[in-house]
Amino acid sequence: MSILFGIVNQRGSTISESELRALAGTASGYGFTGLVTEIDGKIGVGLHPFLTNKRTKANVKLVKSPAGNIAVLDGFLYNFRDLCVELGLNSSMDHSDASIALAAYETWGEACCERFYGDWSVVFWNKGRQELYLSRDHAGTHSLFYEQAPNSIRFSSMLDALCRDKTASTLDRSYLSCYLANESTYDLTPYEQVKVVPPGCTLRFANRSVTRSCHWTARCQEVFRYKSDGDYERHFVSVLTASIECRVPSDENVLAHLSGGRDSSTIVCISDHIRRSHGAEADDLVDTVSYFDDTEPHWDELPFIRAVEEFRGKRGVHIDASTISFDPWTVDRRYSVPCLGVTPYNEEHFEKTISGRSYSSIISGVGGDDLLGGIPNPTPELMDLLWDFDLNKLLSRSLQWSLTNRTTIGATVWDLIAEFSNLLLKHGSVKRTYAPWINRHFIPSNSLLSTNPLVQIPIARPSNIFDQLRWPSLVGHLPHSVPTLFALREYRYPYLDRALVEFVLRLPREQLVRPGEPRSLMRRSLRGIVPDIILDRKRKAFISRRPHTWLRGKEEEVSHLLKETYLETIGCIDGSSLRRHLTEILTFRKTEWSLSLARLINLELWIRARFNLRPAACPSSSISKSDVHRTSQSSARA
């Protein structure tokens, strides 16, 4: 990822070079060179280019037109050839993505973003109208933050650039509460004045006001209807292969995550298939990194990882995850956001493990499970059948799902009616269970159909509404949003490719998942490309032990820390409720709240470290060590 940044002075005075370069200062810590800047009156923009392959090296990402309009682009437009044809430009290889984007803006206005297929964020400045536009792709694969002050607008793809002068008084309680509840933060950051440009949206700044419009949503009206399963399978493989080929080019040194699951294994195997078709040997195939932990009873992934490595003829790097710290007590004030499990030690351990190769990008399998039916949920398909009033097929499929899930057909139909009513009458609002000490007042409504511009309900099929509800949560937790201190790499997500997502959203639900056949389309399509042992996996790996073991031996420290907290003083948590439940958690009688407690401790310590503060005294009572000891003894006797 390149680092773009800029300032618009709404008072009208000219931006100074020193003012602009001060905003760029954070990039120097990652070894970026070749700073490009452009100052034109009250706007100043800059770019630290990140050169990864042949196209990026010839791809100037900051351009200015004869009319004085400016475009700065971070990322790639994968449909640049089609755009050049539509715009009447000469050879597409003679034009950078930023110059194509600027030509598109001057031709179609802000609606140009609807035509962009790729992984990108872009900034446009219209000199004639004195308007600023900030926009991100449909999935938000490249970050873009902004801060609107009374006299200026500052923006950057790095949060650090906008939050270096922030104090604890600027903390956003909605963000903090979402973090505690493990909810998507959407357009929030820890700092009240700094926001995120939402995925699939364009923000227009003019006359000291901002308006938001959506250039993409997960809403799809039409459904693909092919004659046979084979037609669906061929289309799926074609679109997925094109997505992977764009994001794993042969002239770039990338590193792919290989977990042993279907999603990451598929990316690696299809990439191998593409490269071998061009004569590549085993050494020329994409490098992989895999995590394993033999201490976890439900994370025995090494047999599957080795099966993929044997299939492709190349071994990757293996990292023992049991050596990675999960301790919520380990925080570092240099991180601009709190993030449980992200520590300088863990970052340094990763860098040492992969040392010797300069990887520019990391390929992630995020999104595959959510989009391709990883969770065998019958509700979306059955809701569509009810919507179509196809009662015969509805009863038949309900019976098949009941037999598969070992439940009664009455229970299946009852669940269907309840979900269908909730979807239509309550706008898809989901009743979530939070830790009892979290103040829900600051958590934004999860009725996404009424509050989120990425979700549009009118005349949509129930399964598509279901997909729309999941989409903001999916794109709200992408790995590139996790802070880093040691190395800045671009993350790429083949399963979030726009063409692939739009294809999957238009599929009949029974193509994705069938009774007894989770991931049906994927498993049928990839026979011979991905090892059968991967396609036929019966379970998904998950961590069950480590979120609880961090508490052992920490009873006294936890009790002391939670006597008084900053989060309590600002109203994000109910301290009395926390202390009532704390003994049960520390004695492992309420293990379901262990991870919530870890997030609370991590957030509290991050706030204290980041802003060099201690919480003001607040009414509270501590749980004594003797209380914990007595409860432990009674629990043991029981």
Side-chain angles (χ1 to χ4, degrees):
M1 58 172 288
S2 299
I3 299 177
L4 62 83
F5 55 92
I7 310 173
V8 176
N9 195 331
Q10 298 188 99
R11 294 171 300 181
S13 56
T14 301
I15 299 293
S16 68
E17 183 76 21
S18 60
E19 187 179 8
L20 183 61
R21 287 183 174 272
L23 193 60
T26 54
S28 59
Y30 298 102
F32 278 72
T33 58
L35 174 64
V36 180
T37 61
E38 177 70 37
I39 296 176
D40 188 351
K42 70 177 187 178
I43 184 172
V45 293
L47 180 77
H48 279 285
F50 187 42
L51 307 180
T52 60
N53 54 44
K54 290 179 181 178
R55 178 156 177 81
T56 60
K57 291 175 182 176
N59 205 344
V60 179
K61 305 268 179 113
L62 193 160
V63 295
K64 185 176 182 180
S65 72
N69 299 327
I70 298 173
V72 191
L73 185 139
D74 173 26
F76 299 91
L77 300 179
Y78 294 127
N79 66 329
F80 65 92
R81 292 185 178 88
D82 295 334
L83 290 170
C84 284
V85 172
E86 293 183 69
L87 293 166
L89 301 177
N90 295 327
S91 172
S92 57
M93 299 308 294
D94 295 335
H95 298 276
S96 69
D97 287 350
S99 64
I100 295 171
L102 183 55
Y105 169 74
E106 294 185 331
T107 302
W108 300 307
E110 66 178 283
C112 66
C113 295
E114 299 174 7
R115 302 171 183 252
F116 296 165
Y117 281 72
D119 303 334
W120 52 270
S121 64
V122 67
V123 176
F124 294 120
W125 170 251
N126 187 309
K127 184 174 183 178
R129 297 202 299 263
Q130 298 288 285
E131 293 176 348
L132 175 72
Y133 296 86
L134 307 180
S135 187
R136 294 170 75 200
D137 65 47
H138 68 293
T141 60
H142 287 252
S143 300
L144 187 55
F145 305 92
Y146 69 95
E147 179 182 26
Q148 187 175 23
N151 296 316
S152 66
I153 304 165
R154 300 193 302 161
F155 55 88
S156 176
S157 52
M158 294 288 290
L159 179 58
D160 279 341
L162 303 180
C163 68
R164 282 174 291 176
D165 58 345
K166 297 297 182 280
T167 64
S169 63
T170 66
L171 286 171
D172 189 316
R173 288 181 289 184
S174 291
Y175 175 93
L176 301 180
S177 297
C178 286
Y179 179 84
L180 290 172
N182 200 24
E183 288 281 5
S184 171
T185 52
Y186 187 51
D187 64 342
L188 305 174
T189 74
Y191 315 95
E192 199 168 25
Q193 303 95 328
V194 181
K195 304 296 182 184
V196 183
V197 178
C201 292
T202 300
L203 302 184
R204 171 180 170 267
F205 297 84
N207 301 320
R208 297 179 182 269
S209 65
V210 57
T211 56
R212 178 170 63 186
S213 61
C214 282
H215 58 78
W216 189 91
T217 71
R219 178 186 173 197
C220 291
Q221 293 283 12
E222 300 179 10
V223 177
F224 279 122
R225 296 292 181 186
Y226 289 148
K227 293 182 179 179
S228 67
D229 282 353
D231 293 332
Y232 291 105
E233 294 160 13
R234 284 186 289 273
H235 193 161
F236 170 70
V237 172
S238 173
V239 178
L240 180 57
T241 300
S243 170
I244 294 172
E245 189 168 17
C246 287
R247 290 167 177 82
V248 194
S250 58
D251 63 339
E252 185 178 346
N253 200 17
V254 301
L255 181 66
H257 281 156
L258 176 59
S259 68
R262 294 189 187 98
D263 299 320
S264 61
S265 301
T266 295
I267 292 173
V268 169
C269 291
I270 290 182
S271 173
D272 291 351
H273 182 75
I274 295 170
R275 294 193 179 191
R276 288 189 187 278
S277 68
H278 292 92
E281 300 294 334
D283 288 343
D284 301 319
L285 303 181
V286 65
D287 291 341
T288 61
V289 59
S290 305
Y291 291 87
F292 69 95
D293 187 349
D294 292 336
T295 67
E296 281 286 347
H298 303 289
W299 199 14
D300 182 20
E301 296 300 280
L302 274 179
F304 300 103
I305 294 169
R306 287 169 178 154
V308 175
E309 291 176 341
E310 182 179 352
F311 182 82
R312 64 194 301 256
K314 183 173 184 177
R315 192 178 190 278
V317 174
H318 297 176
I319 298 178
D320 185 352
S322 65
T323 64
I324 297 176
S325 172
F326 182 77
D327 191 346
W329 301 88
T330 307
V331 296
D332 193 299
R333 68 185 308 272
R334 291 173 293 175
Y335 291 117
S336 56
V337 298
C339 195
L340 184 62
V342 177
T343 67
Y345 169 79
N346 292 347
E347 279 198 64
E348 190 173 13
H349 180 67
F350 176 79
E351 295 299 329
K352 287 180 178 178
T353 304
I354 65 169
S355 63
R357 298 295 300 270
S358 179
Y359 296 109
S360 58
S361 306
I362 294 179
I363 311 301
S364 170
V366 167
D369 202 48
D370 298 82
L371 290 170
L372 298 173
I375 301 175
N377 182 3
T379 303
E381 178 191 356
L382 298 182
M383 284 195 297
D384 280 351
L385 294 174
L386 182 60
W387 178 266
D388 294 335
F389 209 65
D390 190 345
L391 299 183
N392 288 334
K393 191 172 182 181
L394 173 62
L395 290 174
S396 173
R397 296 296 275 188
S398 297
L399 178 59
Q400 293 177 43
W401 278 108
S402 299
L403 293 172
T404 299
N405 295 336
R406 298 182 181 181
T407 186
T408 64
I409 190 171
T412 300
V413 173
W414 177 258
D415 290 342
L416 166 64
I417 294 173
E419 290 284 349
F420 194 79
S421 301
N422 178 64
L423 197 67
L424 297 183
L425 302 179
K426 298 183 180 180
H427 303 294
S429 180
V430 180
K431 185 178 180 180
R432 303 188 186 277
T433 302
Y434 301 126
W437 55 79
I438 296 176
N439 186 345
R440 304 183 182 202
H441 174 74
F442 296 111
I443 300 177
S445 168
N446 60 24
S447 181
L448 293 172
L449 292 174
S450 60
T451 63
N452 195 313
L454 297 182
V455 183
Q456 298 180 357
I457 189 173
I459 320 178
R461 293 177 65 82
S463 62
N464 184 237
I465 298 175
F466 184 83
D467 290 330
Q468 290 184 63
L469 285 168
R470 292 186 304 158
W471 182 257
S473 178
L474 169 59
V475 299
H477 293 93
L478 298 182
H480 74 271
S481 61
V482 175
T484 178
L485 298 178
F486 288 86
L488 197 62
R489 294 186 179 88
E490 186 170 84
Y491 269 86
R492 297 178 188 163
Y493 312 97
Y495 290 106
L496 299 183
D497 177 80
R498 179 177 165 182
L500 176 61
V501 170
E502 290 175 348
F503 168 70
V504 171
L505 292 179
R506 294 174 63 186
L507 286 173
R509 199 71 191 180
E510 63 268 19
Q511 283 296 324
L512 294 175
V513 58
R514 296 172 177 176
E517 296 181 48
R519 309 290 286 268
S520 178
L521 177 63
M522 185 178 221
R523 294 167 72 178
R524 300 192 322 261
S525 304
L526 299 174
R527 294 289 176 189
I529 300 175
V530 178
D532 288 347
I533 189 176
I534 302 298
L535 296 176
D536 296 331
R537 289 191 61 168
K538 300 298 184 183
R539 62 171 179 81
K540 182 176 177 64
F542 61 94
I543 300 173
S544 60
R545 174 180 167 273
R546 297 188 70 195
H548 309 298
T549 56
W550 68 269
L551 272 171
R552 297 190 188 279
K554 298 287 187 179
E555 295 88 350
E556 187 172 0
E557 292 92 329
V558 172
S559 298
H560 179 74
L561 173 70
L562 300 181
K563 282 181 181 179
E564 53 183 49
T565 65
Y566 185 81
L567 291 169
E568 183 178 359
T569 64
I570 62 175
C572 287
I573 64 170
D574 180 347
S576 59
S577 174
L578 170 63
R579 287 179 280 274
R580 282 198 306 271
H581 291 86
L582 187 57
T583 300
E584 293 179 304
I585 300 172
L586 294 178
T587 55
F588 300 96
R589 294 169 59 195
K590 283 282 186 180
T591 57
E592 64 267 30
W593 303 125
S594 295
L595 189 55
S596 295
L597 181 62
R599 296 181 73 85
L600 187 155
I601 292 172
N602 181 256
L603 179 58
E604 175 69 22
L605 292 176
W606 175 81
I607 292 173
R608 296 187 186 190
R610 180 78 179 177
F611 302 106
N612 293 316
L613 56 81
R614 292 293 180 267
C618 58
S620 64
S621 59
S622 173
I623 294 178
S624 68
K625 190 174 181 181
S626 59
D627 290 336
V628 174
H629 181 65
R630 282 196 299 272
T631 310
S632 299
Q633 287 182 324
S634 61
S635 178
R637 285 196 297 270

